Short mmCIF file of all heavy atoms in Angstrom, two decimals:
data_model
loop_
_atom_site.label_atom_id
_atom_site.label_comp_id
_atom_site.label_asym_id
_atom_site.label_seq_id
_atom_site.Cartn_x
_atom_site.Cartn_y
_atom_site.Cartn_z
N CYS A 1146 145.56 290.07 60.84
CA CYS A 1146 144.53 289.59 61.75
C CYS A 1146 143.94 288.29 61.24
O CYS A 1146 143.80 288.07 60.05
CB CYS A 1146 143.45 290.65 61.90
SG CYS A 1146 142.12 290.17 63.01
N CYS A 1147 143.57 287.43 62.13
CA CYS A 1147 143.05 286.12 61.76
C CYS A 1147 141.55 286.03 62.00
O CYS A 1147 141.02 284.97 62.26
CB CYS A 1147 143.77 285.02 62.55
SG CYS A 1147 145.54 284.98 62.26
N GLU A 1148 140.84 287.15 61.99
CA GLU A 1148 139.42 287.12 62.28
C GLU A 1148 138.66 286.63 61.05
O GLU A 1148 138.98 286.96 59.93
CB GLU A 1148 138.94 288.51 62.68
CG GLU A 1148 139.26 289.58 61.66
CD GLU A 1148 138.78 290.94 62.12
OE1 GLU A 1148 137.79 290.97 62.85
OE2 GLU A 1148 139.39 291.94 61.75
N PRO A 1149 137.59 285.85 61.27
CA PRO A 1149 136.77 285.38 60.16
C PRO A 1149 135.82 286.46 59.72
O PRO A 1149 135.58 287.44 60.42
CB PRO A 1149 136.03 284.19 60.77
CG PRO A 1149 135.88 284.57 62.20
CD PRO A 1149 137.12 285.34 62.57
N PRO A 1150 135.21 286.33 58.54
CA PRO A 1150 134.24 287.32 58.09
C PRO A 1150 132.93 287.17 58.85
O PRO A 1150 132.68 286.14 59.47
CB PRO A 1150 134.08 286.99 56.60
CG PRO A 1150 134.39 285.53 56.53
CD PRO A 1150 135.44 285.29 57.56
N PRO A 1151 132.10 288.19 58.82
CA PRO A 1151 130.80 288.10 59.50
C PRO A 1151 129.90 287.10 58.79
O PRO A 1151 130.14 286.74 57.64
CB PRO A 1151 130.26 289.53 59.40
CG PRO A 1151 130.95 290.10 58.21
CD PRO A 1151 132.31 289.49 58.20
N PRO A 1152 128.84 286.64 59.46
CA PRO A 1152 127.93 285.68 58.83
C PRO A 1152 127.23 286.32 57.65
O PRO A 1152 127.06 287.54 57.59
CB PRO A 1152 126.96 285.32 59.96
CG PRO A 1152 127.03 286.47 60.91
CD PRO A 1152 128.44 286.95 60.84
N PRO A 1153 126.81 285.52 56.68
CA PRO A 1153 126.20 286.08 55.47
C PRO A 1153 124.83 286.64 55.75
O PRO A 1153 124.09 286.12 56.59
CB PRO A 1153 126.15 284.89 54.54
CG PRO A 1153 126.06 283.71 55.44
CD PRO A 1153 126.87 284.06 56.65
N PRO A 1154 124.45 287.71 55.06
CA PRO A 1154 123.10 288.25 55.21
C PRO A 1154 122.11 287.45 54.39
O PRO A 1154 122.47 286.66 53.54
CB PRO A 1154 123.26 289.68 54.69
CG PRO A 1154 124.32 289.56 53.66
CD PRO A 1154 125.27 288.50 54.16
N SER A 1155 120.87 287.69 54.66
CA SER A 1155 119.83 287.03 53.89
C SER A 1155 119.61 287.78 52.59
O SER A 1155 119.99 288.94 52.46
CB SER A 1155 118.53 287.00 54.70
OG SER A 1155 118.11 288.34 54.94
N PRO A 1156 118.98 287.15 51.59
CA PRO A 1156 118.75 287.85 50.33
C PRO A 1156 117.88 289.06 50.46
O PRO A 1156 117.91 289.95 49.62
CB PRO A 1156 118.09 286.77 49.46
CG PRO A 1156 118.48 285.48 50.09
CD PRO A 1156 118.62 285.75 51.54
N ALA A 1157 117.12 289.14 51.54
CA ALA A 1157 116.23 290.28 51.71
C ALA A 1157 116.97 291.56 52.04
O ALA A 1157 116.40 292.64 52.01
CB ALA A 1157 115.20 289.98 52.81
N ASP A 1158 118.24 291.47 52.41
CA ASP A 1158 118.99 292.68 52.77
C ASP A 1158 119.29 293.55 51.57
O ASP A 1158 119.74 294.67 51.74
CB ASP A 1158 120.29 292.29 53.46
CG ASP A 1158 120.04 291.63 54.79
OD1 ASP A 1158 118.94 291.82 55.36
OD2 ASP A 1158 120.93 290.89 55.25
N GLY A 1159 119.08 293.02 50.42
CA GLY A 1159 119.34 293.83 49.25
C GLY A 1159 120.77 293.88 48.82
O GLY A 1159 121.15 294.73 48.04
#
Side-chain angles (χ1 to χ4, degrees):
C1146 179
C1147 300
E1148 55 181 330
S1155 63
D1158 294 339

